[in-house]
Amino acid sequence: MKAKFIQKMMAGALAMALVVTPAMSVHATPAAGGAGSGGSSSASSEKKVVEIVNESLAESDGEGGGSSVSSVSSIPVSSSVAGIKTTVKGVYLATSVNGTAIRTGLSTIVANYGLGAGEVPSARIYNLDVKKSPLAAAALNQAAESVGAVVGPYVNVEIGKVKGGKFSLLPSDGAEISVSFGIPASFAQAGKTFAVACVRPGGAVYILQDIDNNPNTVTFNTTGGQGAYAIIKY
Protein backbone atom coordinates (compact mmCIF):
# COMPACT_ATOMS: atom_id res chain seq x y z
CA MET A 1 0.00 0.00 0.00
CA LYS A 2 2.74 2.45 1.02
CA ALA A 3 4.85 1.64 -2.05
CA LYS A 4 1.88 2.17 -4.37
CA PHE A 5 1.16 5.49 -2.68
CA ILE A 6 4.71 6.67 -3.25
CA GLN A 7 4.72 5.49 -6.85
CA LYS A 8 1.56 7.45 -7.61
CA MET A 9 3.05 10.60 -6.08
CA MET A 10 6.32 10.17 -7.92
CA ALA A 11 4.78 9.80 -11.37
CA GLY A 12 5.36 13.51 -11.98
CA ALA A 13 7.32 14.52 -8.91
CA LEU A 14 10.83 14.46 -10.33
CA ALA A 15 9.79 16.55 -13.30
CA MET A 16 9.01 19.28 -10.78
CA ALA A 17 11.90 18.52 -8.45
CA LEU A 18 14.51 18.85 -11.18
CA VAL A 19 13.21 22.05 -12.74
CA VAL A 20 16.66 23.44 -13.47
CA THR A 21 17.87 20.43 -15.45
CA PRO A 22 17.50 21.76 -19.03
CA ALA A 23 19.16 25.09 -18.36
CA MET A 24 21.99 23.81 -16.21
CA SER A 25 23.45 21.75 -19.06
CA VAL A 26 24.80 24.97 -20.58
CA HIS A 27 27.46 25.02 -17.85
CA ALA A 28 29.24 22.06 -19.37
CA THR A 29 30.83 24.14 -22.11
CA PRO A 30 31.83 27.53 -20.73
CA ALA A 31 33.06 29.61 -23.64
CA ALA A 32 36.80 29.98 -23.98
CA GLY A 33 37.74 33.00 -26.05
CA GLY A 34 34.29 33.35 -27.58
CA ALA A 35 34.67 30.51 -30.05
CA GLY A 36 31.60 28.74 -31.39
CA SER A 37 28.32 29.74 -32.98
CA GLY A 38 25.24 31.45 -31.64
CA GLY A 39 27.05 34.01 -29.47
CA SER A 40 23.97 35.99 -28.42
CA SER A 41 22.00 32.81 -27.74
CA SER A 42 24.87 31.43 -25.66
CA ALA A 43 25.11 34.66 -23.67
CA SER A 44 21.38 34.59 -23.02
CA SER A 45 21.55 30.95 -21.90
CA GLU A 46 24.49 31.64 -19.59
CA LYS A 47 22.62 34.59 -18.08
CA LYS A 48 19.64 32.33 -17.41
CA VAL A 49 21.89 29.74 -15.75
CA VAL A 50 23.38 32.40 -13.47
CA GLU A 51 19.87 33.60 -12.56
CA ILE A 52 18.79 30.04 -11.69
CA VAL A 53 21.91 29.42 -9.62
CA ASN A 54 21.52 32.65 -7.67
CA GLU A 55 17.84 31.94 -7.07
CA SER A 56 18.79 28.53 -5.68
CA LEU A 57 21.47 30.02 -3.45
CA ALA A 58 19.14 32.74 -2.18
CA GLU A 59 16.47 30.19 -1.28
CA SER A 60 18.94 27.95 0.53
CA ASP A 61 20.57 30.84 2.41
CA GLY A 62 17.24 32.19 3.63
CA GLU A 63 16.84 35.72 4.95
CA GLY A 64 20.09 37.57 5.17
CA GLY A 65 21.91 35.20 2.84
CA GLY A 66 24.41 36.79 0.49
CA SER A 67 25.82 33.94 -1.60
CA SER A 68 25.80 34.53 -5.34
CA VAL A 69 27.74 33.94 -8.53
CA SER A 70 28.39 36.52 -11.24
CA SER A 71 29.08 34.27 -14.22
CA VAL A 72 29.00 30.67 -15.39
CA SER A 73 32.74 30.41 -14.85
CA SER A 74 32.31 31.22 -11.15
CA ILE A 75 29.79 28.42 -10.56
CA PRO A 76 31.35 25.77 -8.30
CA VAL A 77 32.76 22.87 -10.33
CA SER A 78 34.13 20.73 -7.53
CA SER A 79 33.36 19.95 -3.94
CA SER A 80 34.66 18.05 -0.96
CA VAL A 81 33.44 16.42 2.23
CA ALA A 82 35.60 16.02 5.33
CA GLY A 83 38.74 16.54 3.28
CA ILE A 84 37.69 14.12 0.51
CA LYS A 85 37.49 15.90 -2.83
CA THR A 86 35.00 14.76 -5.42
CA THR A 87 36.32 12.71 -8.31
CA VAL A 88 33.74 14.01 -10.76
CA LYS A 89 33.54 17.60 -11.95
CA GLY A 90 30.22 19.32 -12.34
CA VAL A 91 27.91 21.80 -10.66
CA TYR A 92 27.87 21.42 -6.87
CA LEU A 93 25.30 23.75 -5.32
CA ALA A 94 23.85 21.72 -2.44
CA THR A 95 24.28 24.25 0.36
CA SER A 96 21.72 22.40 2.49
CA VAL A 97 24.44 19.85 3.38
CA ASN A 98 27.99 20.36 4.58
CA GLY A 99 29.63 19.52 1.27
CA THR A 100 29.08 16.81 -1.32
CA ALA A 101 31.51 14.50 -3.09
CA ILE A 102 31.45 11.54 -5.42
CA ARG A 103 34.05 9.11 -4.13
CA THR A 104 34.16 6.40 -6.79
CA GLY A 105 37.18 6.84 -9.04
CA LEU A 106 36.67 8.57 -12.37
CA SER A 107 38.26 5.72 -14.34
CA THR A 108 36.04 3.22 -12.51
CA ILE A 109 32.89 5.09 -13.51
CA VAL A 110 34.11 5.35 -17.10
CA ALA A 111 34.78 1.61 -17.24
CA ASN A 112 31.66 0.47 -15.38
CA TYR A 113 29.31 2.58 -17.49
CA GLY A 114 31.05 1.92 -20.79
CA LEU A 115 31.80 5.55 -21.59
CA GLY A 116 33.41 6.08 -24.97
CA ALA A 117 35.79 8.58 -26.51
CA GLY A 118 34.96 12.14 -25.56
CA GLU A 119 32.52 11.12 -22.83
CA VAL A 120 33.37 12.44 -19.38
CA PRO A 121 31.47 11.74 -16.13
CA SER A 122 29.73 14.83 -14.76
CA ALA A 123 27.48 15.60 -11.80
CA ARG A 124 24.88 18.20 -10.92
CA ILE A 125 24.02 18.38 -7.24
CA TYR A 126 21.79 21.07 -5.79
CA ASN A 127 19.15 21.77 -3.16
CA LEU A 128 15.67 20.36 -3.58
CA ASP A 129 13.21 23.23 -3.29
CA VAL A 130 10.40 21.81 -1.13
CA LYS A 131 7.99 24.59 -2.17
CA LYS A 132 8.44 23.78 -5.85
CA SER A 133 8.75 20.03 -5.29
CA PRO A 134 6.24 19.10 -2.60
CA LEU A 135 5.57 15.64 -4.05
CA ALA A 136 9.23 14.66 -4.05
CA ALA A 137 9.62 15.90 -0.48
CA ALA A 138 6.46 14.07 0.59
CA ALA A 139 7.76 10.84 -0.91
CA LEU A 140 11.06 11.20 0.95
CA ASN A 141 9.19 11.94 4.18
CA GLN A 142 7.05 8.85 3.67
CA ALA A 143 10.15 6.72 3.08
CA ALA A 144 11.76 8.04 6.27
CA GLU A 145 8.62 7.45 8.30
CA SER A 146 8.55 3.82 7.13
CA VAL A 147 11.77 3.20 9.10
CA GLY A 148 10.95 5.53 12.00
CA ALA A 149 13.45 8.19 10.92
CA VAL A 150 13.50 11.98 11.04
CA VAL A 151 14.11 13.81 7.75
CA GLY A 152 16.95 16.29 7.36
CA PRO A 153 18.20 18.25 4.34
CA TYR A 154 16.93 17.44 0.84
CA VAL A 155 19.27 17.22 -2.15
CA ASN A 156 18.84 16.63 -5.89
CA VAL A 157 21.55 14.50 -7.48
CA GLU A 158 22.15 13.93 -11.19
CA ILE A 159 25.06 11.71 -12.20
CA GLY A 160 25.68 11.70 -15.91
CA LYS A 161 28.21 12.39 -18.61
CA VAL A 162 29.19 15.21 -20.92
CA LYS A 163 30.01 14.75 -24.58
CA GLY A 164 30.30 17.54 -27.11
CA GLY A 165 29.13 20.02 -24.50
CA LYS A 166 25.87 18.18 -23.84
CA PHE A 167 24.92 16.63 -20.52
CA SER A 168 22.99 13.38 -20.34
CA LEU A 169 22.22 11.06 -17.47
CA LEU A 170 23.94 7.76 -16.86
CA PRO A 171 21.58 4.77 -16.55
CA SER A 172 20.10 4.21 -13.10
CA ASP A 173 20.58 0.46 -13.34
CA GLY A 174 24.37 0.67 -13.62
CA ALA A 175 27.18 -0.10 -11.19
CA GLU A 176 27.34 1.38 -7.70
CA ILE A 177 28.74 4.88 -7.25
CA SER A 178 29.70 6.07 -3.76
CA VAL A 179 28.58 9.54 -2.72
CA SER A 180 29.16 11.47 0.51
CA PHE A 181 27.07 14.23 2.09
CA GLY A 182 28.42 16.29 4.95
CA ILE A 183 25.94 16.27 7.84
CA PRO A 184 25.11 19.89 8.75
CA ALA A 185 25.65 20.88 12.37
CA SER A 186 21.97 21.72 12.71
CA PHE A 187 21.03 18.09 11.99
CA ALA A 188 23.93 16.29 13.68
CA GLN A 189 23.08 14.37 16.85
CA ALA A 190 25.22 12.03 18.93
CA GLY A 191 24.00 8.47 19.28
CA LYS A 192 21.86 8.55 16.15
CA THR A 193 22.16 6.36 13.06
CA PHE A 194 22.29 8.29 9.79
CA ALA A 195 21.23 7.09 6.36
CA VAL A 196 19.87 8.53 3.11
CA ALA A 197 16.39 8.19 1.63
CA CYS A 198 16.21 8.24 -2.16
CA VAL A 199 13.30 8.48 -4.58
CA ARG A 200 13.83 7.82 -8.27
CA PRO A 201 11.66 8.74 -11.26
CA GLY A 202 8.86 6.21 -11.51
CA GLY A 203 8.51 5.85 -7.76
CA ALA A 204 11.35 3.51 -6.76
CA VAL A 205 12.23 4.23 -3.12
CA TYR A 206 15.42 3.27 -1.30
CA ILE A 207 16.92 3.63 2.16
CA LEU A 208 20.69 3.79 1.63
CA GLN A 209 22.80 2.92 4.66
CA ASP A 210 25.86 4.87 5.77
CA ILE A 211 28.98 2.91 4.81
CA ASP A 212 31.65 5.02 6.55
CA ASN A 213 32.57 5.57 10.20
CA ASN A 214 32.87 9.35 10.11
CA PRO A 215 30.20 10.92 12.39
CA ASN A 216 30.28 14.10 10.31
CA THR A 217 29.35 12.46 7.01
CA VAL A 218 26.96 9.97 5.51
CA THR A 219 28.42 7.94 2.65
CA PHE A 220 26.17 5.72 0.56
CA ASN A 221 26.13 3.68 -2.62
CA THR A 222 23.83 4.79 -5.39
CA THR A 223 23.91 4.58 -9.19
CA GLY A 224 23.90 6.92 -12.15
CA GLY A 225 20.87 8.92 -13.20
CA GLN A 226 18.78 11.35 -11.23
CA GLY A 227 17.05 11.20 -7.90
CA ALA A 228 15.80 13.17 -4.93
CA TYR A 229 17.67 12.41 -1.71
CA ALA A 230 17.41 13.33 1.97
CA ILE A 231 19.64 12.67 4.96
CA ILE A 232 17.67 10.90 7.66
CA LYS A 233 18.40 9.85 11.24
CA TYR A 234 16.87 7.40 13.71
Side-chain angles (χ1 to χ4, degrees):
M1 179 90 57
K2 188 173 294 182
K4 291 182 179 179
F5 169 72
I6 293 175
Q7 288 175 354
K8 287 181 180 179
M9 289 199 304
M10 286 306 298
L14 270 256
M16 298 171 62
L18 305 171
V19 290
V20 303
T21 298
M24 293 301 287
S25 61
V26 177
H27 127 274
T29 54
S37 59
S40 61
S41 175
S42 176
S44 176
S45 296
E46 290 194 8
K47 181 179 178 181
K48 184 62 176 178
V49 171
V50 170
E51 290 175 353
I52 291 171
V53 169
N54 285 334
E55 179 183 353
S56 175
L57 291 173
E59 290 172 348
S60 63
D61 285 345
E63 294 183 6
S67 300
S68 64
V69 297
S70 58
S71 65
V72 169
S73 62
S74 63
I75 295 174
V77 294
S78 66
S79 186
S80 62
V81 176
I84 303 298
K85 188 173 182 179
T86 191
T87 61
V88 176
K89 290 186 176 181
V91 176
Y92 289 78
L93 296 170
T95 55
S96 61
V97 293
N98 192 21
T100 57
I102 294 176
R103 302 181 68 154
T104 301
L106 194 68
S107 60
T108 300
I109 297 174
V110 169
N112 287 347
Y113 282 83
L115 271 59
E119 295 182 326
V120 181
S122 182
R124 301 191 296 201
I125 304 177
Y126 47 96
N127 297 341
L128 185 150
D129 185 339
V130 175
K131 292 181 180 178
K132 292 180 179 178
S133 312
L135 297 179
L140 290 169
N141 293 345
Q142 187 79 8
E145 289 174 7
S146 71
V147 295
V150 176
V151 178
Y154 304 95
V155 182
N156 279 318
V157 176
E158 300 175 33
I159 303 176
K161 63 183 179 182
V162 170
K163 182 177 181 180
K166 294 185 178 181
F167 179 90
S168 60
L169 294 167
L170 292 175
S172 61
D173 60 352
E176 289 186 339
I177 296 174
S178 295
V179 179
S180 288
F181 292 158
I183 301 171
S186 59
F187 193 63
Q189 187 175 352
K192 291 292 186 179
T193 296
F194 289 85
V196 169
C198 170
V199 181
R200 295 281 193 160
V205 180
Y206 307 92
I207 300 297
L208 308 172
Q209 300 302 319
D210 189 3
I211 58 174
D212 72 21
N213 296 317
N214 190 329
N216 299 314
T217 69
V218 55
T219 299
F220 55 96
N221 288 326
T222 185
T223 59
Q226 64 186 24
Y229 296 74
I231 298 179
I232 62 175
K233 64 182 177 182
Y234 50 94

